[in-house]
Amino acid sequence: MKKIFLSLILLTGIASSLVSCTNENQDPVASVIQNIVLSTPAGADYVLTAPKAADDVATIKWSSADFGYSASVTYSLQVVKATADFSEPQSFVLGSFNDSSKSNHEKTLTQRQLNSMLLGAGGAIGASGSFKMRVVGMPSTQLESSANGVKSISQEIAFTGNPFDTFDEFDRIYVPGNYGGSSTFADWAPDNAPRLFSANNNGKYEGFVWMNNASPAFKFTPGPAWSGDKGDLTENPNTFTTLGGKDIKPVDGAGTYFFTVDWLANTYTIAKVRVAIIGAATPNGWDNPTDLVFDTNPASPYYRMYTKDLVLKADEFLVRLKDDWSIKMGTMSGNVETLVATSQNKIKLNGGNMKVPAAGNYKVVLDLNNSANYSLKLIPN
């Protein structure tokens, strides 16, 4: 009997020890012990201008979130119109920090960064509008879509600002031609023609032009008038041709064309492209592209952009412009990145694979109007 009794005691002790060890090794349970305090700015009027787009405009200062344990926390600045709620904010990642409960952080924004947020929030170009901002923090390992996740949210700060037209940041040339009237512009009118932009303001331009004419013809002008216009020496464009004085007449018919122009060297390239997306996230996978459609409706918020309503998988895709993959578009970093739904995701030529954040029905919106700011949006339907 003693042996049995001692065995029971021993078993009970081992079990107790195992439970104790298990409890000691459990992951910490996150909860919001203390919310973020946004200390700067305390409200301001931001006068934004294109010539100063690269200048610093605002320094965001905030206290750390406290989730009850030491954690790496990712912070984002959110901006909406003063009359809106934060259900669909414009977001800017301020950074990730290994936080304690007594840390303070700051991040300086440029005029370009704040301007993008104001435009995305619905601000009117050139007009002062009322907005509000806040800072949101969450554990860096937590998914944005997590139903059981925790977030620390600062108080809201009201401010005003007048966004500028991003087109005004960059030098541009114009592409007037016989296709304009059938392509949402006007025929042979430099002041109402598509534009090609120079991302570095160095006399080298690129961009996409939709020409809805079976026999397009055009020239380049340095401004919204005919003074200083340039054409071709031979009329029929080659891969690299010296600019001269005749109308340029591509032989590939109606469609979207991609241009590069070196204004000082008097050279250009032109290539007809197919504007489409392709990848595991798309209905046709990596085997066949899904074409996007140029929006010609002036009343549409996507006027002169390429769009398509699609059911997408939570997987990767690219914008492919040539079937031989010589021209494609993707992430700015060149790495696989998950896009932010509803936000303007900046992309570039020959960028990395983009990933759909969650499976669902989306409107894909590709904006190729400004070659210095190509972007793609995934808007849930």
Side-chain angles (χ1 to χ4, degrees):
M1 181 62 74
K2 279 185 179 181
K3 289 182 179 180
I4 296 173
F5 182 70
L6 289 172
S7 297
L8 287 173
I9 292 174
L10 180 60
L11 288 172
T12 302
I14 292 171
S16 176
S17 175
L18 288 173
V19 171
S20 176
C21 290
T22 302
N23 288 337
E24 287 175 1
N25 289 300
Q26 282 181 340
D27 292 332
V29 177
S31 61
V32 179
I33 305 300
Q34 178 176 297
N35 268 319
I36 299 163
V37 176
L38 178 55
S39 56
T40 302
D45 181 19
Y46 297 107
V47 179
L48 309 180
T49 60
K52 295 183 178 181
D55 291 358
D56 294 341
V57 67
T59 298
I60 312 300
K61 295 182 179 181
W62 70 98
S63 65
S64 60
D66 186 351
F67 294 117
Y69 67 99
S70 182
S72 176
V73 179
T74 298
Y75 295 95
S76 297
L77 178 69
Q78 296 184 341
V79 170
V80 295
K81 275 189 168 182
T83 54
D85 59 30
F86 281 91
S87 58
E88 293 185 358
Q90 294 298 302
S91 293
F92 178 85
V93 177
L94 298 169
S96 297
F97 305 90
N98 290 317
D99 268 345
S100 68
S101 59
K102 296 182 180 180
S103 302
N104 290 290
H105 308 293
E106 65 179 68
K107 173 74 174 180
T108 299
L109 271 62
T110 63
Q111 289 207 24
R112 181 179 293 115
Q113 289 165 337
L114 182 58
N115 187 72
S116 178
M117 298 186 78
L118 299 191
L119 288 175
I125 293 171
S128 181
S130 297
F131 303 88
K132 56 188 178 183
M133 68 172 71
R134 70 182 188 181
V135 172
V136 175
M138 67 180 192
S140 298
T141 55
Q142 176 179 296
L143 296 176
E144 179 70 31
S145 58
S146 176
N148 299 316
V150 291
K151 291 182 180 180
S152 178
I153 302 173
S154 77
Q155 80 280 21
E156 298 173 6
I157 300 293
F159 69 99
T160 58
N162 62 314
F164 57 80
D165 191 335
T166 55
F167 291 147
D168 293 339
E169 285 189 56
F170 307 100
D171 293 340
R172 79 292 311 269
I173 58 175
Y174 299 76
V175 193
N178 69 346
Y179 66 90
S182 60
S183 308
T184 76
F185 293 94
D187 286 345
W188 296 110
D191 61 343
N192 189 8
R195 298 164 289 181
L196 308 179
F197 291 85
S198 175
N200 297 312
N201 291 332
N202 61 356
K204 297 180 180 180
Y205 305 85
E206 72 172 49
F208 296 84
V209 178
W210 183 64
M211 297 182 174
N212 190 28
N213 186 310
S215 301
F218 62 91
K219 282 188 170 184
F220 300 112
T221 65
W226 281 107
S227 177
D229 66 280
K230 294 184 178 183
D232 203 304
L233 291 176
T234 63
E235 291 188 342
N236 296 319
N238 298 312
T239 302
F240 246 79
T241 308
T242 301
L243 292 171
K246 295 184 178 181
D247 295 346
I248 301 171
K249 298 178 179 179
V251 296
D252 291 326
T256 298
Y257 287 85
F258 175 65
F259 292 86
T260 66
V261 177
D262 188 327
W263 192 257
L264 299 178
N266 286 328
T267 57
Y268 74 95
T269 66
I270 179 173
K272 190 176 182 182
V273 298
R274 178 182 183 180
V275 182
I277 62 172
I278 190 170
T282 69
N284 299 322
W286 290 107
D287 295 326
N288 293 295
T290 301
D291 294 319
L292 305 183
V293 179
F294 189 80
D295 192 331
T296 60
N297 179 9
S300 168
Y302 315 115
Y303 184 46
R304 294 175 178 164
M305 301 180 193
Y306 296 83
T307 72
K308 189 82 170 184
D309 290 324
L310 290 171
V311 175
L312 299 176
K313 300 174 184 176
D315 215 322
E316 298 176 19
F317 72 101
L318 284 166
V319 175
R320 194 175 78 174
L321 299 156
K322 295 290 277 187
D323 288 345
D324 64 2
W325 293 94
S326 59
I327 307 178
K328 60 186 179 69
M329 304 183 84
T331 64
M332 294 296 292
S333 69
N335 301 319
V336 177
E337 291 182 11
T338 300
L339 302 184
V340 179
T342 74
S343 291
Q344 189 178 52
N345 299 278
K346 192 170 181 178
I347 60 174
K348 69 174 184 178
L349 291 168
N350 299 316
N353 288 7
M354 298 170 284
K355 190 170 184 180
V356 177
N361 191 310
Y362 293 90
K363 178 178 285 295
V364 180
V365 181
L366 177 63
D367 187 351
L368 300 179
N369 283 296
N370 185 346
S371 57
N373 279 299
Y374 296 132
S375 68
L376 186 141
K377 283 185 177 181
L378 296 179
I379 303 173
N381 285 322

